[in-house]
Amino acid sequence: MDALDRHGWTDAAAFEWLGVRFGIRTDSPDLMALAGSRLPPASVPSESDHVDVLFSLTGGGYASRGMRRHQILYEGFATITRTLDREALADAFDSALHVALAERATQWVFVHAGVVGWQGRAILLPGATFTGKTSLVAALLRAGAVFYSDDRAVIDAAGRVHPYAKPLSIREARTARQVPRSATSFGADVGSKPLPVGLVAFTRYREGASWSPQPLPPGQAMLAVLEHTSALRTRPRTVLATLRRTITGAASYRGVRGDATETAARLLALI
């Protein structure tokens, strides 16, 4: 456990989420605000300066002659990234923080997936970046589903999915920056209670495709979900036991999809 040493830093704070305490310190208020924008929903300030993991962000402001300084992210004493791009720094912090939380939140499992609620059950959409998860989540919200997450499924020991309601990260083009959009901007409600999983769908966008879902047996569905699950190597027993409870009783399908609106309607009809 580290101590949140505040000496020599303009801003420092400790937070807690899912039983994990993490510290952030920066050499400028702007960098603290940047880090704060990437905190998990429902994380709360911690009264203790003893933290399980410590992140430091440096390089705020400008160097002489108007030259921008490199901005550096550290986890403990290890350098995570060095960049001139403020958004790249934020993305690196977001990723490193959630890897650290996934490894330390011992009663929880994180899956890289979009999640919506429908008729009291969750639809889980595991997938890598650039596979179209967010656009499909947005289409499901427009169709009346309840928002849980567009990027991370947070699953408890009973296999239920909890809300992780950060704004959706909408990418207007494949190389464009992500733009945050609230669930309410799609006319959707935000989930407030954990849900059992009723449907798991592995989809990947391909222009002009028509979704022809193929059923997956539970064993194959389990292996496919594991490809997108954090902390498997550090907590294999917990992860496997939790995902078995998650998958049990859920229908699972795989298939390439085209139009998100059409696919969303068909997904909702399957649950």
PDB file of all heavy atoms in Angstrom, residues 155-160 196-197 222 237-250:
ATOM      1  N   ILE A 155     -19.338  -6.739 -13.013  1.00  0.00           N
ATOM      2  CA  ILE A 155     -20.134  -7.905 -12.633  1.00  0.00           C
ATOM      3  C   ILE A 155     -19.785  -8.323 -11.207  1.00  0.00           C
ATOM      4  O   ILE A 155     -18.603  -8.460 -10.855  1.00  0.00           O
ATOM      5  CB  ILE A 155     -19.869  -9.069 -13.609  1.00  0.00           C
ATOM      6  CG1 ILE A 155     -20.163  -8.620 -15.048  1.00  0.00           C
ATOM      7  CG2 ILE A 155     -20.718 -10.281 -13.252  1.00  0.00           C
ATOM      8  CD1 ILE A 155     -19.775  -9.634 -16.104  1.00  0.00           C
ATOM      9  N   ASP A 156     -20.836  -8.549 -10.392  1.00  0.00           N
ATOM     10  CA  ASP A 156     -20.605  -8.949  -9.002  1.00  0.00           C
ATOM     11  C   ASP A 156     -20.457 -10.465  -8.889  1.00  0.00           C
ATOM     12  O   ASP A 156     -20.552 -11.197  -9.883  1.00  0.00           O
ATOM     13  CB  ASP A 156     -21.703  -8.403  -8.079  1.00  0.00           C
ATOM     14  CG  ASP A 156     -23.085  -9.010  -8.354  1.00  0.00           C
ATOM     15  OD1 ASP A 156     -23.173 -10.107  -8.939  1.00  0.00           O
ATOM     16  OD2 ASP A 156     -24.089  -8.370  -7.970  1.00  0.00           O
ATOM     17  N   ALA A 157     -20.217 -10.943  -7.667  1.00  0.00           N
ATOM     18  CA  ALA A 157     -19.929 -12.358  -7.457  1.00  0.00           C
ATOM     19  C   ALA A 157     -21.109 -13.256  -7.801  1.00  0.00           C
ATOM     20  O   ALA A 157     -20.933 -14.453  -8.047  1.00  0.00           O
ATOM     21  CB  ALA A 157     -19.506 -12.584  -6.003  1.00  0.00           C
ATOM     22  N   ALA A 158     -22.318 -12.694  -7.813  1.00  0.00           N
ATOM     23  CA  ALA A 158     -23.505 -13.478  -8.174  1.00  0.00           C
ATOM     24  C   ALA A 158     -23.735 -13.516  -9.678  1.00  0.00           C
ATOM     25  O   ALA A 158     -24.692 -14.133 -10.143  1.00  0.00           O
ATOM     26  CB  ALA A 158     -24.734 -12.897  -7.472  1.00  0.00           C
ATOM     27  N   GLY A 159     -22.886 -12.827 -10.452  1.00  0.00           N
ATOM     28  CA  GLY A 159     -23.027 -12.815 -11.906  1.00  0.00           C
ATOM     29  C   GLY A 159     -23.942 -11.731 -12.433  1.00  0.00           C
ATOM     30  O   GLY A 159     -24.303 -11.757 -13.609  1.00  0.00           O
ATOM     31  N   ARG A 160     -24.314 -10.765 -11.592  1.00  0.00           N
ATOM     32  CA  ARG A 160     -25.196  -9.675 -12.021  1.00  0.00           C
ATOM     33  C   ARG A 160     -24.364  -8.473 -12.485  1.00  0.00           C
ATOM     34  O   ARG A 160     -23.319  -8.178 -11.931  1.00  0.00           O
ATOM     35  CB  ARG A 160     -26.119  -9.259 -10.882  1.00  0.00           C
ATOM     36  CG  ARG A 160     -26.989 -10.376 -10.338  1.00  0.00           C
ATOM     37  CD  ARG A 160     -27.736  -9.925  -9.103  1.00  0.00           C
ATOM     38  NE  ARG A 160     -26.808  -9.437  -8.082  1.00  0.00           N
ATOM     39  CZ  ARG A 160     -27.183  -8.849  -6.951  1.00  0.00           C
ATOM     40  NH1 ARG A 160     -28.462  -8.653  -6.704  1.00  0.00           N
ATOM     41  NH2 ARG A 160     -26.280  -8.433  -6.076  1.00  0.00           N
ATOM     42  N   PRO A 196     -29.490  -9.599 -13.805  1.00  0.00           N
ATOM     43  CA  PRO A 196     -28.935 -10.837 -14.359  1.00  0.00           C
ATOM     44  C   PRO A 196     -28.834 -10.714 -15.873  1.00  0.00           C
ATOM     45  O   PRO A 196     -29.590  -9.963 -16.500  1.00  0.00           O
ATOM     46  CB  PRO A 196     -29.972 -11.890 -13.955  1.00  0.00           C
ATOM     47  CG  PRO A 196     -31.262 -11.126 -13.871  1.00  0.00           C
ATOM     48  CD  PRO A 196     -30.887  -9.754 -13.355  1.00  0.00           C
ATOM     49  N   VAL A 197     -27.906 -11.437 -16.463  1.00  0.00           N
ATOM     50  CA  VAL A 197     -27.718 -11.371 -17.914  1.00  0.00           C
ATOM     51  C   VAL A 197     -28.691 -12.325 -18.595  1.00  0.00           C
ATOM     52  O   VAL A 197     -28.754 -13.513 -18.271  1.00  0.00           O
ATOM     53  CB  VAL A 197     -26.269 -11.718 -18.293  1.00  0.00           C
ATOM     54  CG1 VAL A 197     -26.102 -11.790 -19.815  1.00  0.00           C
ATOM     55  CG2 VAL A 197     -25.320 -10.668 -17.715  1.00  0.00           C
ATOM     56  N   MET A 222     -18.676 -18.875 -22.971  1.00  0.00           N
ATOM     57  CA  MET A 222     -17.766 -18.599 -21.864  1.00  0.00           C
ATOM     58  C   MET A 222     -16.369 -18.269 -22.376  1.00  0.00           C
ATOM     59  O   MET A 222     -15.750 -17.278 -21.970  1.00  0.00           O
ATOM     60  CB  MET A 222     -17.717 -19.827 -20.959  1.00  0.00           C
ATOM     61  CG  MET A 222     -16.748 -19.701 -19.807  1.00  0.00           C
ATOM     62  SD  MET A 222     -17.482 -18.780 -18.458  1.00  0.00           S
ATOM     63  CE  MET A 222     -16.431 -19.309 -17.126  1.00  0.00           C
ATOM     64  N   ARG A 237      -9.642 -18.106 -10.639  1.00  0.00           N
ATOM     65  CA  ARG A 237     -10.761 -18.819 -10.008  1.00  0.00           C
ATOM     66  C   ARG A 237     -11.972 -17.907  -9.842  1.00  0.00           C
ATOM     67  O   ARG A 237     -13.109 -18.305 -10.128  1.00  0.00           O
ATOM     68  CB  ARG A 237     -10.330 -19.400  -8.659  1.00  0.00           C
ATOM     69  CG  ARG A 237      -9.350 -20.545  -8.774  1.00  0.00           C
ATOM     70  CD  ARG A 237      -9.048 -21.150  -7.411  1.00  0.00           C
ATOM     71  NE  ARG A 237      -8.126 -22.266  -7.513  1.00  0.00           N
ATOM     72  CZ  ARG A 237      -7.701 -22.978  -6.482  1.00  0.00           C
ATOM     73  NH1 ARG A 237      -8.111 -22.685  -5.251  1.00  0.00           N
ATOM     74  NH2 ARG A 237      -6.860 -23.983  -6.667  1.00  0.00           N
ATOM     75  N   THR A 238     -11.724 -16.699  -9.363  1.00  0.00           N
ATOM     76  CA  THR A 238     -12.821 -15.748  -9.176  1.00  0.00           C
ATOM     77  C   THR A 238     -13.473 -15.405 -10.508  1.00  0.00           C
ATOM     78  O   THR A 238     -14.705 -15.390 -10.631  1.00  0.00           O
ATOM     79  CB  THR A 238     -12.311 -14.458  -8.509  1.00  0.00           C
ATOM     80  OG1 THR A 238     -11.783 -14.773  -7.220  1.00  0.00           O
ATOM     81  CG2 THR A 238     -13.437 -13.441  -8.355  1.00  0.00           C
ATOM     82  N   VAL A 239     -12.647 -15.132 -11.513  1.00  0.00           N
ATOM     83  CA  VAL A 239     -13.179 -14.757 -12.821  1.00  0.00           C
ATOM     84  C   VAL A 239     -14.009 -15.889 -13.415  1.00  0.00           C
ATOM     85  O   VAL A 239     -15.142 -15.675 -13.881  1.00  0.00           O
ATOM     86  CB  VAL A 239     -12.027 -14.368 -13.772  1.00  0.00           C
ATOM     87  CG1 VAL A 239     -12.530 -14.242 -15.211  1.00  0.00           C
ATOM     88  CG2 VAL A 239     -11.380 -13.064 -13.323  1.00  0.00           C
ATOM     89  N   LEU A 240     -13.498 -17.107 -13.393  1.00  0.00           N
ATOM     90  CA  LEU A 240     -14.209 -18.232 -13.984  1.00  0.00           C
ATOM     91  C   LEU A 240     -15.512 -18.517 -13.251  1.00  0.00           C
ATOM     92  O   LEU A 240     -16.553 -18.753 -13.877  1.00  0.00           O
ATOM     93  CB  LEU A 240     -13.311 -19.469 -13.994  1.00  0.00           C
ATOM     94  CG  LEU A 240     -12.121 -19.413 -14.953  1.00  0.00           C
ATOM     95  CD1 LEU A 240     -11.184 -20.583 -14.703  1.00  0.00           C
ATOM     96  CD2 LEU A 240     -12.588 -19.406 -16.402  1.00  0.00           C
ATOM     97  N   ALA A 241     -15.479 -18.489 -11.926  1.00  0.00           N
ATOM     98  CA  ALA A 241     -16.693 -18.764 -11.157  1.00  0.00           C
ATOM     99  C   ALA A 241     -17.749 -17.696 -11.406  1.00  0.00           C
ATOM    100  O   ALA A 241     -18.947 -18.001 -11.559  1.00  0.00           O
ATOM    101  CB  ALA A 241     -16.360 -18.840  -9.669  1.00  0.00           C
ATOM    102  N   THR A 242     -17.316 -16.444 -11.463  1.00  0.00           N
ATOM    103  CA  THR A 242     -18.267 -15.349 -11.687  1.00  0.00           C
ATOM    104  C   THR A 242     -18.883 -15.436 -13.074  1.00  0.00           C
ATOM    105  O   THR A 242     -20.103 -15.283 -13.241  1.00  0.00           O
ATOM    106  CB  THR A 242     -17.566 -13.990 -11.500  1.00  0.00           C
ATOM    107  OG1 THR A 242     -17.103 -13.890 -10.148  1.00  0.00           O
ATOM    108  CG2 THR A 242     -18.521 -12.842 -11.785  1.00  0.00           C
ATOM    109  N   LEU A 243     -18.066 -15.686 -14.084  1.00  0.00           N
ATOM    110  CA  LEU A 243     -18.596 -15.741 -15.447  1.00  0.00           C
ATOM    111  C   LEU A 243     -19.496 -16.945 -15.673  1.00  0.00           C
ATOM    112  O   LEU A 243     -20.443 -16.878 -16.471  1.00  0.00           O
ATOM    113  CB  LEU A 243     -17.453 -15.730 -16.454  1.00  0.00           C
ATOM    114  CG  LEU A 243     -16.690 -14.407 -16.547  1.00  0.00           C
ATOM    115  CD1 LEU A 243     -15.640 -14.480 -17.640  1.00  0.00           C
ATOM    116  CD2 LEU A 243     -17.623 -13.227 -16.794  1.00  0.00           C
ATOM    117  N   ARG A 244     -19.248 -18.049 -14.975  1.00  0.00           N
ATOM    118  CA  ARG A 244     -20.178 -19.184 -15.072  1.00  0.00           C
ATOM    119  C   ARG A 244     -21.568 -18.765 -14.594  1.00  0.00           C
ATOM    120  O   ARG A 244     -22.586 -19.106 -15.207  1.00  0.00           O
ATOM    121  CB  ARG A 244     -19.670 -20.357 -14.241  1.00  0.00           C
ATOM    122  CG  ARG A 244     -18.502 -21.104 -14.859  1.00  0.00           C
ATOM    123  CD  ARG A 244     -18.245 -22.421 -14.144  1.00  0.00           C
ATOM    124  NE  ARG A 244     -16.984 -23.010 -14.587  1.00  0.00           N
ATOM    125  CZ  ARG A 244     -15.841 -22.901 -13.935  1.00  0.00           C
ATOM    126  NH1 ARG A 244     -15.795 -22.223 -12.801  1.00  0.00           N
ATOM    127  NH2 ARG A 244     -14.743 -23.458 -14.407  1.00  0.00           N
ATOM    128  N   ARG A 245     -21.612 -18.028 -13.492  1.00  0.00           N
ATOM    129  CA  ARG A 245     -22.909 -17.559 -12.985  1.00  0.00           C
ATOM    130  C   ARG A 245     -23.527 -16.542 -13.942  1.00  0.00           C
ATOM    131  O   ARG A 245     -24.747 -16.462 -14.075  1.00  0.00           O
ATOM    132  CB  ARG A 245     -22.730 -16.948 -11.597  1.00  0.00           C
ATOM    133  CG  ARG A 245     -22.191 -17.928 -10.562  1.00  0.00           C
ATOM    134  CD  ARG A 245     -22.114 -17.303  -9.176  1.00  0.00           C
ATOM    135  NE  ARG A 245     -21.443 -18.203  -8.246  1.00  0.00           N
ATOM    136  CZ  ARG A 245     -20.197 -18.056  -7.823  1.00  0.00           C
ATOM    137  NH1 ARG A 245     -19.478 -17.005  -8.230  1.00  0.00           N
ATOM    138  NH2 ARG A 245     -19.655 -18.923  -6.980  1.00  0.00           N
ATOM    139  N   THR A 246     -22.689 -15.761 -14.591  1.00  0.00           N
ATOM    140  CA  THR A 246     -23.184 -14.752 -15.535  1.00  0.00           C
ATOM    141  C   THR A 246     -23.811 -15.407 -16.760  1.00  0.00           C
ATOM    142  O   THR A 246     -24.895 -14.995 -17.214  1.00  0.00           O
ATOM    143  CB  THR A 246     -22.029 -13.838 -15.980  1.00  0.00           C
ATOM    144  OG1 THR A 246     -21.424 -13.238 -14.830  1.00  0.00           O
ATOM    145  CG2 THR A 246     -22.521 -12.744 -16.907  1.00  0.00           C
ATOM    146  N   ILE A 247     -23.144 -16.416 -17.302  1.00  0.00           N
ATOM    147  CA  ILE A 247     -23.574 -17.045 -18.545  1.00  0.00           C
ATOM    148  C   ILE A 247     -24.741 -18.002 -18.338  1.00  0.00           C
ATOM    149  O   ILE A 247     -25.590 -18.172 -19.212  1.00  0.00           O
ATOM    150  CB  ILE A 247     -22.385 -17.800 -19.193  1.00  0.00           C
ATOM    151  CG1 ILE A 247     -21.275 -16.815 -19.578  1.00  0.00           C
ATOM    152  CG2 ILE A 247     -22.835 -18.590 -20.413  1.00  0.00           C
ATOM    153  CD1 ILE A 247     -21.693 -15.797 -20.606  1.00  0.00           C
ATOM    154  N   THR A 248     -24.811 -18.654 -17.162  1.00  0.00           N
ATOM    155  CA  THR A 248     -25.867 -19.641 -16.901  1.00  0.00           C
ATOM    156  C   THR A 248     -27.247 -19.016 -17.076  1.00  0.00           C
ATOM    157  O   THR A 248     -27.563 -17.997 -16.470  1.00  0.00           O
ATOM    158  CB  THR A 248     -25.731 -20.208 -15.477  1.00  0.00           C
ATOM    159  OG1 THR A 248     -24.470 -20.862 -15.351  1.00  0.00           O
ATOM    160  CG2 THR A 248     -26.852 -21.202 -15.180  1.00  0.00           C
ATOM    161  N   GLY A 249     -28.054 -19.608 -17.925  1.00  0.00           N
ATOM    162  CA  GLY A 249     -29.409 -19.105 -18.151  1.00  0.00           C
ATOM    163  C   GLY A 249     -29.507 -18.040 -19.219  1.00  0.00           C
ATOM    164  O   GLY A 249     -30.625 -17.606 -19.545  1.00  0.00           O
ATOM    165  N   ALA A 250     -28.373 -17.597 -19.772  1.00  0.00           N
ATOM    166  CA  ALA A 250     -28.399 -16.566 -20.813  1.00  0.00           C
ATOM    167  C   ALA A 250     -28.272 -17.210 -22.188  1.00  0.00           C
ATOM    168  O   ALA A 250     -27.542 -18.186 -22.365  1.00  0.00           O
ATOM    169  CB  ALA A 250     -27.259 -15.572 -20.605  1.00  0.00           C
TER     170      ALA A 250
END
